[in-house]
């Protein structure tokens, strides 16, 4: 800041400061409100613990599902040119900008008991997704997968195609090339996408509560529990919030090398 | 077993139109400027770039013939491909890189591993088998790439700029090793290079490609002696002589002795740019260490330059200006003195 050329105009500096305060003040508030001495006890209450467990299970399933389906999708987007590609791509990443509650309503309209997919699932396989843990996983996958797809697609695009050329001249089938060359070389990108998708799934609220409801032990994930407990047991809600904040900070730290140190 | 290449391919602004036969046991070097289509030609043979028209076959085994609807994908061609910059898989060790080919072609894991170690031993890298490519030197990476290309026992070996990524200090040694490995490979050998020294020392036959077409083909002596274009003259128009060095003197195989700038021992190549060869009507006085007399064998005009072939010990090509041509009265059969500074002779271990 000692060099004149580096000094920001005062209005810019002031607005920037306000912007920073807007982000930081709530975090300070949360940390002030937390009863640190009882943090572990609060997190250990049956309802909180059940929500944490459910959140872990559902978010990990959602991440796994997003990887199994999203990595191939990302590969298709990165490598195959087909008519309507950009339209299909836009639809795929739409959940990133879609209001989560709208996502929940849309899921209900597709997979609800009387909807066009859900009714068949019910009559053919006796499967009901609404108000079930599987429904939570579906909602979380829906909102989280786009984060994985765009991250992994970028990783695939940045791969030098000559590695694939080298593999085929050595006799590798397309599947071998994908499994032994493309996947491992895109490994860091896939890991980053998975972490990002997991973080998004973990914090999912709107689509989950709309589609799967708020049933303790079955569909009540941590964010839902926070919302519900805010009235009755605010200290538990705060403790859970601190936990989610800690997870977010950890995710940022993990991804730091990838996004923050790029410059 | 002959590799017959009739390739017609348009790719962007490049129109590749090449007709080339290569026999096994022969090393062909494809030389040409950037963008001439050398790498594309290699990719056609390897199956990485399907041709538009023509026919590509190894004996009766047709690999690519659009007219007949035949295209054998790269993974089913008997080709070993050495890429420019080697393109070693960065996540695999040297051993896993070499074992990748045999593994992909159905060899059991242990056998592939065994074969990889055998190949790494053959190229002198048995002790770095477990190292990742990032830990290898340029020369080591080149040898791993060669072992990887050969480990599938291909019938055709294609090498794209095998030495371009190396610095001058390791290049000579790697080149010599590569020559030995090429000699040991019984199949069809084609390498692409832009370096006339590499071509001269590694290949039996040069194929000059310019603008997607073959402009000249022949042995080094044939191409050097009678370059068909200004470009070829510049590209391969260097003088290359072989001899046995002892100290600063090189006794040339074809007679004569050259004084060279550095002390050498054993078989060497000496490379001399035609522009460095000076011609005189009388014996020159002064500093040049190499002076001998000869007879003008041919005079060839190439644009604003004149190439003069002088028979003698050694026989060299000199390049002079048209003014000098006139001043020195250079006509075929004329007696002439040749001088060459020792510092203008580049020596490579053979």
């Amino acid at each position: 800041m000692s060099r004149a050329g580096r000094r920001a105009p005062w209005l810019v500096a002031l607005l920037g400061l306000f912007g920073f305060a807007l982000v930081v003040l709530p975090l300070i508030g949360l940390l002030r409100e937390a009863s640190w001495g009882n943090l572990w006890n609060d997190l250990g209450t049956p309802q909180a613990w059940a929500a944490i467990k459910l959140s872990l299970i559902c978010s990990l399933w959602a991440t796994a599902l997003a990887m199994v389906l999203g990595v191939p999708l990302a590969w298709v987007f990165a490598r195959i040119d087909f008519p309507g590609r950009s339209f299909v791509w836009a639809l795929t990443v739409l959940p990133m900008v879609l209001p989560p509650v709208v996502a929940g309503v849309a899921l209900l309209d597709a997979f609800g008991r009387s909807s066009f997919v859900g009714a068949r699932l019910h009559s053919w396989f006796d499967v009901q997704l609404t108000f079930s843990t599987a429904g939570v996983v579906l909602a979380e996958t829906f909102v989280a997968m786009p984060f994985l797809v765009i991250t992994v697609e970028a990783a695939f695009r940045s791969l030098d195609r000559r590695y694939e050329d080298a593999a085929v001249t050595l006799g590798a089938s397309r599947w071998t090339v994908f499994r032994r060359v493309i996947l491992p070389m895109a490994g860091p990108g896939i890991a980053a996408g998975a972490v990002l998708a997991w973080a998004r799934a973990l914090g999912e609220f709107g689509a989950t509560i709309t589609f799967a409801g708020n049933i303790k032990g079955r569909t009540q994930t941590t964010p839902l529990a926070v919302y519900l407990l805010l009235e009755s047991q605010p200290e538990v809600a705060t403790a859970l919030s601190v936990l989610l904040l800690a997870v977010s900070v950890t995710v940022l730290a993990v991804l730091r090398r990838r996004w923050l140190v790029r410059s | 077993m002959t590799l017959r290449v009739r390739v017609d391919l348009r790719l962007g602004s490049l129109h590749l139109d090449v007709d080339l036969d290569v026999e096994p046991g022969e090393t062909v070097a494809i030389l040409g400027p950037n963008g001439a289509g050398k790498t594309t030609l290699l990719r056609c043979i390897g199956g990485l770039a399907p041709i538009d028209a023509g026919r590509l076959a190894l004996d009766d085994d047709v690999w690519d013939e659009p007219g007949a609807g035949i295209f054998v994908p790269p993974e089913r061609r008997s080709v070993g491909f050495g890429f420019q910059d080697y393109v070693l898989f960065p996540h695999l060790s040297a051993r896993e890189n070499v074992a990748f080919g045999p593994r992909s072609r159905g060899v059991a894991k242990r056998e592939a591993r065994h074969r990889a170690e055998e190949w790494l031993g053959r190229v002198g890298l048995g002790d770095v088998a477990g190292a990742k490519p990032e830990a290898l030197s340029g020369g080591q990476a080149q040898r791993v790439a060669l072992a990887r290309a050969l480990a599938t026992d291909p019938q055709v070996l294609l090498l794209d700029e095998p030495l371009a990524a190396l610095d001058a200090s390791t290049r000579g040694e790697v080149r010599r090793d590569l020559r030995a490995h090429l000699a040991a490979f019984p199949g069809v050998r084609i390498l692409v290079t832009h370096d006339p020294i590499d071509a001269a020392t590694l290949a039996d036959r040069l194929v000059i490609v310019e603008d997607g077409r073959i402009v000249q083909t022949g042995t080094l002596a044939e191409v050097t002696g009678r370059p068909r274009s200004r470009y070829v003259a510049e590209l391969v128009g260097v003088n290359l002589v072989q001899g046995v060095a002892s100290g600063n003197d090189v006794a040339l195989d074809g007679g004569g002795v050259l004084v060279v700038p550095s002390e050498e021992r054993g078989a060497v190549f000496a490379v001399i740019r035609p522009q460095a060869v000076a011609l005189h009507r009388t014996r020159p006085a002064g500093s040049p260490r190499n002076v001998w007399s000869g007879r003008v064998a041919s005079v060839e005009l190439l644009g604003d330059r004149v190439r003069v072939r002088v028979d003698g010990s050694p026989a060299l090509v000199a390049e002079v200006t048209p003014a000098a041509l006139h001043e020195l009265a250079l006509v075929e059969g004329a007696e002439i003195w040749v001088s060459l500074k020792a510092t203008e002779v580049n020596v490579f271990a053979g």
Side-chain angles (χ1 to χ4, degrees):
Chain A
M1 281 297 175
S2 59
R3 284 166 56 189
R6 293 252 177 105
R7 210 171 287 156
W10 66 268
L11 183 62
V12 172
L14 194 68
L15 289 174
L17 196 65
F18 282 155
F20 182 64
L22 188 69
V23 173
V24 151
L25 287 178
L27 298 181
I28 294 174
L30 176 61
L31 295 176
R32 271 172 58 98
E33 213 39 51
S35 49
W36 292 95
N38 291 325
L39 200 64
W40 286 119
N41 287 337
D42 288 341
L43 292 177
T45 58
Q47 195 172 357
W49 184 233
I52 292 169
K53 271 199 300 191
L54 189 70
S55 264
L56 266 182
I57 292 168
C58 291
S59 62
L60 288 174
W61 270 108
T63 306
L65 208 57
M67 281 176 80
V68 169
L69 304 177
V71 169
L73 197 53
W75 187 84
V76 170
F77 285 140
R79 281 290 190 265
I80 295 172
D81 208 17
F82 55 92
R85 189 192 153 282
S86 53
F87 181 68
V88 175
W89 184 87
L91 281 182
T92 307
V93 301
L94 185 67
M96 288 178 80
V97 289
L98 194 69
V101 65
V102 176
V105 172
L107 284 167
L108 269 180
D109 291 342
F111 297 104
R113 265 196 72 167
S114 54
S115 65
F116 73 109
V117 182
R120 286 176 177 80
L121 281 177
H122 188 68
S123 59
W124 294 348
F125 306 106
D126 199 22
V127 168
Q128 188 191 334
L129 291 170
T130 45
F131 308 110
S132 72
T133 305
V136 177
V137 173
L138 181 66
E140 290 184 352
T141 308
F142 182 84
V143 296
M145 195 168 69
F147 289 87
L148 182 122
V149 171
I150 57 165
T151 312
V152 176
E153 185 194 346
F156 283 155
R157 278 188 189 283
S158 67
L159 283 187
D160 188 339
R161 284 226 184 181
R162 295 190 309 154
Y163 290 107
E164 294 160 52
D165 289 345
V168 294
T169 62
L170 290 167
S173 65
R174 273 193 250 181
W175 170 242
T176 304
V177 176
F178 187 70
R179 189 175 55 85
R180 290 203 60 205
V181 177
I182 296 175
L183 277 188
M185 288 190 67
I190 294 171
V195 169
L196 206 58
W198 178 70
R200 178 67 187 88
L202 196 65
E204 219 304 302
F205 179 85
T208 309
I209 203 167
T210 312
F211 180 61
N214 193 351
I215 307 164
K216 220 183 288 179
R218 194 175 341 152
T219 70
Q220 190 180 85
T221 57
T222 310
L224 272 57
V226 169
Y227 180 70
L228 201 77
L229 293 171
L230 208 49
E231 291 292 319
S232 53
Q233 294 170 273
E235 68 288 347
V236 178
T238 307
L240 285 172
S241 299
V242 170
L243 177 70
L244 288 177
L245 174 64
V247 170
S248 304
V249 170
T250 309
V251 166
L252 262 193
V254 167
L255 297 179
R256 183 182 51 119
R257 295 191 67 99
R258 210 172 160 76
W259 280 294
L260 299 188
V261 197
R262 187 156 280 182
S263 57
Chain B
M1 186 182 66
T2 307
L3 181 70
R4 293 177 206 282
V5 181
R6 314 266 178 284
V7 162
D8 196 311
L9 171 67
R10 283 176 197 276
L11 206 71
S13 61
L14 173 73
H15 180 198
L16 191 64
D17 182 4
V18 165
D19 186 337
L20 176 70
D21 286 359
V22 186
E23 303 290 334
E26 175 191 34
T27 304
V28 164
I30 299 171
L31 261 97
N34 286 333
K38 310 186 294 286
T39 297
T40 305
L41 177 59
L42 230 50
R43 290 175 62 86
C44 287
I45 300 171
L48 297 171
I51 62 177
D52 293 341
R55 187 172 189 267
L56 207 146
L58 185 66
D59 272 344
D60 299 331
D61 196 1
V62 179
W63 283 353
D64 196 347
E65 190 177 0
I70 299 173
F71 178 77
V72 177
E75 62 268 27
R76 289 200 272 116
R77 296 187 189 190
S78 185
V79 164
F81 205 122
F83 290 81
Q84 187 171 8
D85 310 322
Y86 318 130
V87 195
L88 297 175
F89 303 124
H91 58 293
L92 300 180
S93 67
R95 181 193 299 115
E96 291 165 327
N97 261 283
V98 179
F100 189 97
R103 282 289 287 141
S104 298
R105 288 173 193 258
V107 175
K109 205 165 189 169
R110 283 184 57 160
E111 167 63 17
R113 194 186 149 91
H114 178 72
R115 214 185 275 185
E117 275 168 358
E118 209 173 85
W119 268 108
L120 285 173
R122 220 172 289 178
V123 297
L125 291 178
D127 49 338
V128 296
K132 291 275 173 69
E134 60 178 7
L136 300 174
S137 72
Q140 288 173 330
Q142 194 278 335
R143 282 181 275 183
V144 173
L146 183 68
R148 184 175 73 171
L150 290 171
T152 55
D153 290 326
Q155 291 174 289
V156 175
L157 179 64
L158 308 171
L159 299 177
D160 193 2
E161 298 280 8
L163 303 171
L166 301 174
D167 53 42
S169 60
T170 52
R171 206 167 165 142
E173 190 196 331
V174 176
R175 185 192 290 128
R176 194 168 39 196
D177 290 345
L178 178 58
R179 202 155 58 125
H181 291 300
L182 284 173
F185 176 75
V188 170
R189 317 182 280 238
I190 302 176
L191 62 97
V192 154
T193 178
H194 67 272
D195 183 344
I197 310 297
D198 290 345
T201 51
L202 295 171
D204 307 308
R205 180 154 63 107
L206 310 191
V207 172
I208 317 288
V209 175
E210 231 177 305
D211 251 342
R213 273 151 219 274
I214 294 178
V215 293
Q216 194 167 1
T217 169
T219 63
L220 178 75
E222 288 165 2
V223 174
T224 315
R226 207 160 278 281
R228 293 230 194 105
S229 74
R230 175 79 206 143
Y231 167 76
V232 177
E234 267 175 19
L235 185 73
V236 294
V238 293
N239 294 290
L240 185 121
V241 289
Q242 275 179 281
V244 179
S246 125
N248 285 90
D249 290 341
V250 176
L252 301 175
D253 295 350
V257 174
L258 273 185
V259 180
V260 299
S262 54
E263 295 211 1
E264 304 285 340
R265 203 148 290 280
V268 292
F269 287 99
V271 174
I272 302 142
R273 292 180 312 113
Q275 296 90 332
V277 180
L279 302 179
H280 317 265
R281 290 184 74 169
T282 56
R283 187 185 174 95
S287 62
R289 301 292 305 276
N290 296 299
V291 176
W292 67 94
S293 67
R295 187 184 296 271
V296 175
S298 68
V299 176
E300 213 168 343
L301 261 159
L302 274 166
D304 59 345
R305 288 284 172 143
V306 184
R307 286 173 67 89
V308 182
R309 186 157 194 92
V310 182
D311 280 344
S313 303
L316 289 185
V317 171
E319 200 173 280
V320 298
T321 60
L325 177 75
H326 184 72
E327 188 187 320
L328 294 168
L330 292 172
V331 291
E332 278 179 28
E335 296 285 339
I336 198 87
W337 284 89
V338 183
S339 76
L340 177 65
K341 290 180 185 166
T343 51
E344 295 284 1
V345 184
N346 289 308
V347 184
F348 300 88

